[in-house]
Each structure stands twice: as C-alpha cells, then as structure tokens.
Amino acid sequence: MLRRKCLTNDPAHGNQTAMSRFPIPPSVAIIGAGPAGLFAAEYLSAHGCRVDVFEQMPSVGRKLLMAGRSGLNLTHSEPLDHFLTRYGAAQSWLFPAIHDFPPDQLREWADGLGQPCFSGSSGRVFPRSMKASPLLRAWLARLAKQGVTIRTRHRFTGWGDSKHIRFEIPESTVAFTPDAVLLAMGGASWSRLGSDGEWADLFAAETAPFAPANCGFTPDWSQDFLHRHEGNILHSVGLSFENEKTRGDLTITARGLEGSALYALSARLREAIARDGSATILLDLRPTLPEDAALKRLQAQRPRESLSNRLRKAFALDSTARELLRDATPKDATPHQLTHTLKALPITLTGTDTLDRAISTAGGLRQDALDEHFMIRSRPGVFAAGEMLDWEAPTGGYLLQGCFSTGLAAAKGVLGWLESSVSGIA
Ligand SMILES: Cc1cc2nc3c(=O)[nH]c(=O)nc-3n(C[C@H](O)[C@H](O)[C@H](O)COP(=O)(O)OP(=O)(O)OC[C@H]3O[C@@H](n4cnc5c(N)ncnc54)[C@H](O)[C@@H]3O)c2cc1C
C-alpha cells in the first residue's frame, strides 16, 4: 500500500519524526486560528493530513497577540497536581489532555520556536521576549513549511446538506467537504479580536451559557467616586472572599474594579452574585503589614494632624485608598477601627462587568456533548478544543495551557478517527 511519508515537527514531542500513515492524505478543516486551532494544525499536518485553517478575521492569532501585549503568560511552573486544581470542576475532564501535554512540554515547544521561557517569581512562565509576535511569526513559518493552508476572511456559518461546511467570504459563500473538522472558535469575549461566540447558535442544546470569567465587577460605589478615581491602581493589595485570599493590583474603571487580584476570585464571586444578588469582598490595603504593627504606626502619628495626613504618613496610602478608608469608617473612628478596616475593608459587589470585556469566558460546549477524544457526539468527525469548551481557569498561564493541551488532544482524536473511519488503518 502506498503511504505518504513525511519528515516534520511533532509538537507533542518537540522533535523531528518520520511518519507514514495514510495512502492518500485525508483533509482536515480547522476552524479558528487561535492557539488551540493552530496547535492542532501543527500536529495534524505533521501526521500526514492535508490541513486547511479557516479564520474569519483578516489575520490569525489576534487574541494571542493581545495576550502578549502585557507579557505573554504561556503557562505556570507550579507542580502539576496543584496546577490541575486551577481548572475547578473541569479538572478531571482536562486532566488527560494536560497530563499528555503538560507545562514543561509547552515550554519546550516555545523553545523549539526560538522563544525560550523563564519563570517569574510568582511561578508564571513567559517567553524571554515577553511578546507573542515573535512566537507567532516562527510558528506560522513552521506551519507553512508543513503545508498548512491558512484561509483568512472565511467565516464558518454551519453545515449544508451532507458533510459540507459553509463559509461566508467577502461578497460570496463557499463550501468544503473535508474528511474531518476541528472547531477552535474561542469563547465570547473581546469580540473585536474574532471570538464572538456566535458559533453557539449551531450547538444550542449542547452549550452552557457564556459568562464572564477573569472579569471586572461593579461595586456599590457612587458614579462620582468612580469618575474621580477612574484609572487609579491600588497596588499589591490583598483580597479575600469566603476562605480564598489573593494578592495583586486592583484598577478602578469607569464601571467598577478589575485586576489580577479580583480575576482569581471571579468564578466564586460570579456564582455568589447570581445566587445572592451581591457578594462582599474584604480588601487589605497593606497585606504585608500585620494589624498590630499598623496600629502602632498610626498611634505614633501626631494626633493634631488631619486624618488624611496621618493615614498617608503611617501607611503611604494614596488619595484613592485614603478616601476608601474614610468612607468605610465612622467620622470619629478610633485608631483600632481604622487599622482593622485598613486590613479588611468591605466592598459589596453587585454585578460583573460585561462579557465582552472579560479576559476569558466560562460556558461553551459542555463535557457531555463530547466524547473522551473531544469529538462532538451529535456530529461524528467533528471535534472541538480551546476556550470554546465549557471550562474556566484563572489568569496565570492556565488559559493558554488549557487551549494548547485540548488543541492537541482534539487533534489526536481527529487522527484516531481518520485512521479508523477513513482509511481503515487500525
Ligand atoms: C487581554 C487578554 C490577555 C490575555 N492574556 C493571557 C495570558 O497572558 N495567558 C493566558 O493563558 N491567557 C491569556 N488570555 C486568554 C487567551 O488569550 C485565550 O484563552 C486564548 O487565546 C483562547 O484560545 P483559542 O484558540 O481557544 O481561541 P481564540 O484565541 O479566541 O481564537 C479563536 C479564533 O476563532 C475565530 N473564529 C471565531 N468564530 C469563527 C467563525 N465563525 N469562523 C471562522 N473563524 C472564527 C476567531 O476569529 C479567533 O481567531 C488573554 C486574553 C485577553 C483578552
């Protein structure tokens, strides 16, 4: 039997491998050119498939490039068992995929593209360049070398009769009939970058509603306060909600609060607000300063100074933090009351910021809609990966790792399915 031989890069193992699989290369359509889709394209083209990647935007990887603007946090270096807990309820679902392609292998893969990584003090892993653009450039060159065709300005609109997949292209429509399809159309935030979530209409019965994840929240603060403090950052503060504590920056926006300290709590806060109508977080304005030491510092200030001056001198609080503290304490508050509130200032959150502004989205194709190879049960030969699946994780590199790992797992699912159903190779 005549089989195609190819010598290419295998992303799962990061080295050159010789493969011979199919008598005639099967065709695979990958829809969505974000990290999940492109990673699947790399694997499948390395394993003897003819791969077309369809992307509705004029260029690929727009969200990945945006992620690189503030430092591309590719993955995280904490131990794998702890790493997996970050996926919450989806942990057992994603476990095989992340175990098969773990953070170390993602680092090796980036290294192979000339983008060696380092771990920051928090354990977050970044390429040394910090950006996504050099990585994406090298990656696209590799895909081109492996024969992957990228078709931009192709908007997937669904299936026609039989197995046709249909696309809107400028001023027309086209149809293709691939042997297998892999969907990687992302979540439903930052729609201007392409992931508009409109694909969910095609899978209404199989999709959990989208909800903002790693998102901002609206506190019960006055518009006047928000307007006056918009853009100000409360640096390195602590937040706690129920038994969970986080640290990081908190930014005041025109609509409320956002920032890494809040994102890490966002899943639980979103659920609490949906259940109870509001959720109260405690803000620690000086998390490295114990309360008794804070009290001594405040008591050491000259009592004749204004409260504002005493707070500034004792704790180096800026005007935003001072106003928050004054508003949260009685006018004649004692030093005890002030330092207690400094360490646990209650903020009542009444809603989330809009879905489109969220870093990522919860919801999407449910686990029960897919088999263990990420094939959509109602559509044999159609697989799905990345953020379009119903899982969520905090920022810290867990999102991209989840997209790469599920991209690879779905690509392996495609290959297995093609081997058994198209070419009869067991
Ligand atoms: C500002 C920002 C910063 C971030 N920073 C980080 C970070 O540092 N670390 C991290 O882990 N994560 C980060 N993320 C999240 C991360 O970028 C995403 O989780 C990841 O890009 C999702 O990958 P994906 O391949 O599943 O989908 P996407 O990257 O969203 O790609 C989906 C693609 O599908 C295309 N598409 C959608 N519908 C159609 C259609 N009908 N037809 C054709 N094409 C379609 C879209 O145009 C898009 O190109 C960040 C996100 C944002 C917004």
Side-chain angles (χ1 to χ4, degrees):
M1 183 185 284
L2 179 71
R3 289 186 178 180
R4 192 171 89 140
K5 257 201 183 290
C6 51
L7 182 68
T8 47
N9 206 56
D10 177 354
H13 300 99
N15 52 23
Q16 298 265 300
T17 356
M19 255 95 36
S20 60
R21 287 198 176 257
F22 301 102
I24 301 166
S27 63
V28 182
I30 294 178
I31 304 171
L38 294 177
F39 203 49
E42 183 175 348
Y43 181 82
L44 287 164
S45 58
H47 286 78
C49 299
R50 210 172 68 239
V51 178
D52 287 88
V53 179
F54 297 90
E55 166 58 51
Q56 66 174 337
M57 300 301 282
S59 63
V60 306
R62 290 189 171 204
K63 199 178 255 188
L64 180 70
L65 290 170
M66 177 57 77
R69 286 244 192 125
S70 48
L72 184 69
N73 183 190
L74 209 47
T75 185
H76 201 285
S77 59
E78 67 192 353
L80 195 57
D81 52 350
H82 201 234
F83 186 100
L84 284 159
T85 62
R86 308 296 185 171
Y87 297 91
Q91 177 178 170
S92 59
W93 182 22
L94 299 195
F95 171 82
I98 294 177
H99 199 260
D100 187 45
F101 188 72
D104 282 352
Q105 284 193 34
L106 182 50
R107 289 180 74 151
E108 275 171 35
W109 171 82
D111 200 1
L113 287 172
Q115 296 300 309
C117 295
F118 71 96
S119 298
S121 52
S122 61
R124 293 173 180 231
V125 173
F126 301 88
R128 269 189 219 146
S129 68
M130 295 299 280
K131 295 188 196 143
S133 43
L135 182 119
L136 185 59
R137 239 188 335 269
W139 195 6
L140 292 175
R142 176 184 285 174
L143 292 177
K145 212 163 144 196
Q146 289 184 193
V148 172
T149 304
I150 294 184
R151 299 175 191 271
T152 54
R153 298 180 201 272
H154 278 66
R155 177 174 173 75
F156 174 61
T157 54
W159 282 267
D161 295 342
S162 74
K163 286 163 73 185
H164 287 72
I165 49 173
R166 293 204 300 225
F167 295 88
E168 282 170 0
I169 57 171
E171 289 164 36
S172 186
T173 58
V174 283
F176 294 83
T177 314
D179 295 314
V181 177
L182 194 152
L183 305 176
M185 291 184 278
S189 70
W190 288 66
S191 54
R192 69 187 166 88
L193 304 177
S195 49
D196 53 26
E198 289 187 17
W199 59 261
D201 293 345
L202 299 168
F203 297 100
E206 292 136 306
T207 303
F210 292 120
N214 296 300
C215 57
F217 286 85
T218 47
D220 62 351
W221 292 345
S222 68
Q223 276 307 313
D224 172 59
F225 180 90
L226 291 174
H227 183 68
R228 281 186 294 108
H229 294 280
E230 180 185 349
N232 290 355
I233 301 175
L234 297 165
H235 291 283
S236 302
V237 294
L239 285 183
S240 59
F241 179 63
E242 295 170 347
N243 294 325
E244 217 172 316
K245 284 177 188 284
T246 61
R247 285 271 286 277
D249 293 347
L250 209 52
T251 304
I252 299 178
T253 68
R255 294 159 313 280
L257 284 168
E258 63 184 31
S260 57
L262 200 52
Y263 296 159
L265 299 172
S266 60
R268 290 173 72 178
L269 287 172
R270 191 187 63 229
E271 281 157 22
I273 292 170
R275 189 183 58 235
D276 308 327
S278 69
T280 300
I281 50 172
L282 296 177
L283 168 67
D284 185 344
L285 286 163
R286 285 290 169 263
T288 55
L289 185 67
E291 194 172 326
D292 52 351
L295 181 62
K296 277 189 195 142
R297 271 203 209 173
L298 189 59
Q299 284 170 333
Q301 304 304 313
R302 287 175 25 191
R304 273 191 297 166
E305 297 241 33
S306 69
L307 176 59
S308 209
N309 268 349
R310 280 184 287 144
L311 293 175
R312 185 171 52 77
K313 287 183 181 167
F315 309 123
L317 296 181
D318 66 12
S319 62
T320 305
R322 291 200 304 269
E323 188 170 336
L324 278 174
L325 192 52
R326 280 199 314 266
D327 285 354
T329 44
K331 228 177 165 157
D332 53 354
T334 63
H336 263 107
Q337 285 172 310
L338 284 164
T339 46
H340 184 71
T341 311
L342 174 88
K343 298 291 294 171
L345 192 153
I347 302 175
T348 301
L349 305 175
T350 54
T352 57
D353 202 346
T354 59
L355 184 64
D356 200 44
R357 289 184 57 87
I359 297 286
S360 60
T361 45
L365 277 172
R366 290 191 315 267
Q367 182 180 1
D368 64 5
L370 306 166
D371 73 7
E372 70 275 27
H373 304 295
F374 293 90
M375 184 165 85
I376 300 174
R377 293 181 195 280
S378 63
R379 288 217 168 254
V382 179
F383 295 72
E387 208 183 304
M388 70 181 289
L389 305 181
D390 180 20
W391 56 271
E392 66 177 304
T395 55
Y398 308 103
L399 296 166
L400 285 173
Q401 179 72 52
C403 293
F404 278 94
S405 296
T406 57
L408 181 63
K412 288 185 173 180
V414 167
L415 201 66
W417 190 81
L418 288 170
E419 284 174 351
S420 58
S421 66
V422 174
S423 52
I425 302 170

PDB file of all heavy atoms in Angstrom, residues 27 35 51 82-83 91 93 105 273-274 323 331 389 417:
ATOM      1  N   SER A  27      -8.199  15.085   4.388  1.00  0.00           N
ATOM      2  CA  SER A  27      -8.251  16.539   4.561  1.00  0.00           C
ATOM      3  C   SER A  27      -8.943  16.878   5.882  1.00  0.00           C
ATOM      4  O   SER A  27      -9.964  16.274   6.233  1.00  0.00           O
ATOM      5  CB  SER A  27      -8.994  17.179   3.391  1.00  0.00           C
ATOM      6  OG  SER A  27     -10.320  16.728   3.384  1.00  0.00           O
ATOM      7  N   PRO A  35      -4.602  29.890  19.350  1.00  0.00           N
ATOM      8  CA  PRO A  35      -3.623  28.883  19.757  1.00  0.00           C
ATOM      9  C   PRO A  35      -4.139  27.441  19.677  1.00  0.00           C
ATOM     10  O   PRO A  35      -3.388  26.550  19.260  1.00  0.00           O
ATOM     11  CB  PRO A  35      -3.273  29.273  21.200  1.00  0.00           C
ATOM     12  CG  PRO A  35      -4.176  30.381  21.582  1.00  0.00           C
ATOM     13  CD  PRO A  35      -4.773  30.950  20.358  1.00  0.00           C
ATOM     14  N   VAL A  51      -4.085  19.969   5.795  1.00  0.00           N
ATOM     15  CA  VAL A  51      -4.797  20.823   6.753  1.00  0.00           C
ATOM     16  C   VAL A  51      -5.088  22.211   6.171  1.00  0.00           C
ATOM     17  O   VAL A  51      -4.190  22.888   5.671  1.00  0.00           O
ATOM     18  CB  VAL A  51      -3.968  20.976   8.057  1.00  0.00           C
ATOM     19  CG1 VAL A  51      -4.675  21.903   9.035  1.00  0.00           C
ATOM     20  CG2 VAL A  51      -3.725  19.615   8.708  1.00  0.00           C
ATOM     21  N   HIS A  82      -1.057  20.496  41.635  1.00  0.00           N
ATOM     22  CA  HIS A  82      -1.626  21.773  42.059  1.00  0.00           C
ATOM     23  C   HIS A  82      -2.148  22.544  40.851  1.00  0.00           C
ATOM     24  O   HIS A  82      -3.217  23.158  40.891  1.00  0.00           O
ATOM     25  CB  HIS A  82      -0.570  22.587  42.805  1.00  0.00           C
ATOM     26  CG  HIS A  82      -1.177  23.630  43.684  1.00  0.00           C
ATOM     27  ND1 HIS A  82      -0.839  24.950  43.626  1.00  0.00           N
ATOM     28  CD2 HIS A  82      -2.148  23.537  44.616  1.00  0.00           C
ATOM     29  CE1 HIS A  82      -1.576  25.631  44.487  1.00  0.00           C
ATOM     30  NE2 HIS A  82      -2.380  24.802  45.099  1.00  0.00           N
ATOM     31  N   PHE A  83      -1.362  22.506  39.781  1.00  0.00           N
ATOM     32  CA  PHE A  83      -1.729  23.177  38.522  1.00  0.00           C
ATOM     33  C   PHE A  83      -3.149  22.755  38.093  1.00  0.00           C
ATOM     34  O   PHE A  83      -3.982  23.577  37.747  1.00  0.00           O
ATOM     35  CB  PHE A  83      -0.707  22.767  37.461  1.00  0.00           C
ATOM     36  CG  PHE A  83      -0.848  23.478  36.143  1.00  0.00           C
ATOM     37  CD1 PHE A  83      -0.028  24.552  35.831  1.00  0.00           C
ATOM     38  CD2 PHE A  83      -1.794  23.071  35.215  1.00  0.00           C
ATOM     39  CE1 PHE A  83      -0.159  25.209  34.610  1.00  0.00           C
ATOM     40  CE2 PHE A  83      -1.931  23.718  34.000  1.00  0.00           C
ATOM     41  CZ  PHE A  83      -1.108  24.794  33.695  1.00  0.00           C
ATOM     42  N   GLN A  91     -11.516  19.967  36.162  1.00  0.00           N
ATOM     43  CA  GLN A  91     -10.200  19.370  36.370  1.00  0.00           C
ATOM     44  C   GLN A  91     -10.088  17.934  35.847  1.00  0.00           C
ATOM     45  O   GLN A  91      -9.157  17.592  35.120  1.00  0.00           O
ATOM     46  CB  GLN A  91      -9.950  19.431  37.881  1.00  0.00           C
ATOM     47  CG  GLN A  91      -8.723  18.823  38.334  1.00  0.00           C
ATOM     48  CD  GLN A  91      -8.554  18.984  39.848  1.00  0.00           C
ATOM     49  OE1 GLN A  91      -7.669  18.372  40.362  1.00  0.00           O
ATOM     50  NE2 GLN A  91      -9.346  19.768  40.555  1.00  0.00           N
ATOM     51  N   TRP A  93     -11.941  16.446  33.700  1.00  0.00           N
ATOM     52  CA  TRP A  93     -12.158  16.417  32.246  1.00  0.00           C
ATOM     53  C   TRP A  93     -10.859  16.759  31.508  1.00  0.00           C
ATOM     54  O   TRP A  93     -10.461  16.077  30.547  1.00  0.00           O
ATOM     55  CB  TRP A  93     -13.249  17.442  31.897  1.00  0.00           C
ATOM     56  CG  TRP A  93     -13.619  17.514  30.454  1.00  0.00           C
ATOM     57  CD1 TRP A  93     -13.449  16.559  29.496  1.00  0.00           C
ATOM     58  CD2 TRP A  93     -14.252  18.628  29.790  1.00  0.00           C
ATOM     59  NE1 TRP A  93     -13.935  16.997  28.289  1.00  0.00           N
ATOM     60  CE2 TRP A  93     -14.429  18.262  28.443  1.00  0.00           C
ATOM     61  CE3 TRP A  93     -14.685  19.881  30.225  1.00  0.00           C
ATOM     62  CZ2 TRP A  93     -15.031  19.117  27.506  1.00  0.00           C
ATOM     63  CZ3 TRP A  93     -15.285  20.727  29.302  1.00  0.00           C
ATOM     64  CH2 TRP A  93     -15.455  20.350  27.960  1.00  0.00           C
ATOM     65  N   GLN A 105       6.272  20.639  28.554  1.00  0.00           N
ATOM     66  CA  GLN A 105       6.331  20.418  27.098  1.00  0.00           C
ATOM     67  C   GLN A 105       5.940  21.671  26.328  1.00  0.00           C
ATOM     68  O   GLN A 105       6.437  21.894  25.224  1.00  0.00           O
ATOM     69  CB  GLN A 105       5.445  19.234  26.711  1.00  0.00           C
ATOM     70  CG  GLN A 105       6.109  17.920  27.067  1.00  0.00           C
ATOM     71  CD  GLN A 105       5.402  16.738  26.424  1.00  0.00           C
ATOM     72  OE1 GLN A 105       4.884  16.830  25.318  1.00  0.00           O
ATOM     73  NE2 GLN A 105       5.374  15.633  27.140  1.00  0.00           N
ATOM     74  N   ILE A 273     -22.907  36.170  43.368  1.00  0.00           N
ATOM     75  CA  ILE A 273     -23.785  37.286  42.976  1.00  0.00           C
ATOM     76  C   ILE A 273     -25.047  36.746  42.301  1.00  0.00           C
ATOM     77  O   ILE A 273     -26.160  37.211  42.560  1.00  0.00           O
ATOM     78  CB  ILE A 273     -23.030  38.282  42.058  1.00  0.00           C
ATOM     79  CG1 ILE A 273     -21.930  38.992  42.851  1.00  0.00           C
ATOM     80  CG2 ILE A 273     -23.983  39.301  41.449  1.00  0.00           C
ATOM     81  CD1 ILE A 273     -20.954  39.814  42.013  1.00  0.00           C
ATOM     82  N   ALA A 274     -24.867  35.713  41.457  1.00  0.00           N
ATOM     83  CA  ALA A 274     -26.043  35.126  40.790  1.00  0.00           C
ATOM     84  C   ALA A 274     -26.990  34.513  41.832  1.00  0.00           C
ATOM     85  O   ALA A 274     -28.210  34.591  41.707  1.00  0.00           O
ATOM     86  CB  ALA A 274     -25.596  34.068  39.792  1.00  0.00           C
ATOM     87  N   GLU A 323      -9.498  57.750  50.715  1.00  0.00           N
ATOM     88  CA  GLU A 323     -10.936  58.045  50.642  1.00  0.00           C
ATOM     89  C   GLU A 323     -11.750  56.786  50.908  1.00  0.00           C
ATOM     90  O   GLU A 323     -12.771  56.822  51.595  1.00  0.00           O
ATOM     91  CB  GLU A 323     -11.280  58.645  49.262  1.00  0.00           C
ATOM     92  CG  GLU A 323     -12.717  59.138  49.224  1.00  0.00           C
ATOM     93  CD  GLU A 323     -13.046  59.952  47.972  1.00  0.00           C
ATOM     94  OE1 GLU A 323     -12.121  60.522  47.358  1.00  0.00           O
ATOM     95  OE2 GLU A 323     -14.245  60.004  47.621  1.00  0.00           O
ATOM     96  N   LYS A 331     -16.925  58.775  61.272  1.00  0.00           N
ATOM     97  CA  LYS A 331     -16.174  60.038  61.284  1.00  0.00           C
ATOM     98  C   LYS A 331     -15.183  60.116  62.451  1.00  0.00           C
ATOM     99  O   LYS A 331     -14.067  60.595  62.322  1.00  0.00           O
ATOM    100  CB  LYS A 331     -17.168  61.196  61.373  1.00  0.00           C
ATOM    101  CG  LYS A 331     -16.869  62.255  60.357  1.00  0.00           C
ATOM    102  CD  LYS A 331     -17.870  63.346  60.393  1.00  0.00           C
ATOM    103  CE  LYS A 331     -17.207  64.450  59.615  1.00  0.00           C
ATOM    104  NZ  LYS A 331     -17.750  65.398  59.037  1.00  0.00           N
ATOM    105  N   LEU A 389     -14.744  25.338  24.749  1.00  0.00           N
ATOM    106  CA  LEU A 389     -15.259  24.290  25.628  1.00  0.00           C
ATOM    107  C   LEU A 389     -15.622  24.895  26.986  1.00  0.00           C
ATOM    108  O   LEU A 389     -15.066  25.912  27.397  1.00  0.00           O
ATOM    109  CB  LEU A 389     -14.208  23.187  25.823  1.00  0.00           C
ATOM    110  CG  LEU A 389     -13.646  22.551  24.554  1.00  0.00           C
ATOM    111  CD1 LEU A 389     -12.634  21.469  24.917  1.00  0.00           C
ATOM    112  CD2 LEU A 389     -14.761  21.968  23.693  1.00  0.00           C
ATOM    113  N   TRP A 417      -9.680   9.032  14.662  1.00  0.00           N
ATOM    114  CA  TRP A 417     -10.949   8.849  13.953  1.00  0.00           C
ATOM    115  C   TRP A 417     -10.700   8.639  12.458  1.00  0.00           C
ATOM    116  O   TRP A 417     -11.313   7.762  11.833  1.00  0.00           O
ATOM    117  CB  TRP A 417     -11.832  10.077  14.193  1.00  0.00           C
ATOM    118  CG  TRP A 417     -13.224   9.897  13.705  1.00  0.00           C
ATOM    119  CD1 TRP A 417     -14.245   9.251  14.336  1.00  0.00           C
ATOM    120  CD2 TRP A 417     -13.748  10.349  12.456  1.00  0.00           C
ATOM    121  NE1 TRP A 417     -15.372   9.289  13.577  1.00  0.00           N
ATOM    122  CE2 TRP A 417     -15.095   9.960  12.416  1.00  0.00           C
ATOM    123  CE3 TRP A 417     -13.216  11.050  11.377  1.00  0.00           C
ATOM    124  CZ2 TRP A 417     -15.922  10.245  11.328  1.00  0.00           C
ATOM    125  CZ3 TRP A 417     -14.037  11.340  10.301  1.00  0.00           C
ATOM    126  CH2 TRP A 417     -15.375  10.938  10.286  1.00  0.00           C
TER     127      TRP A 417
END
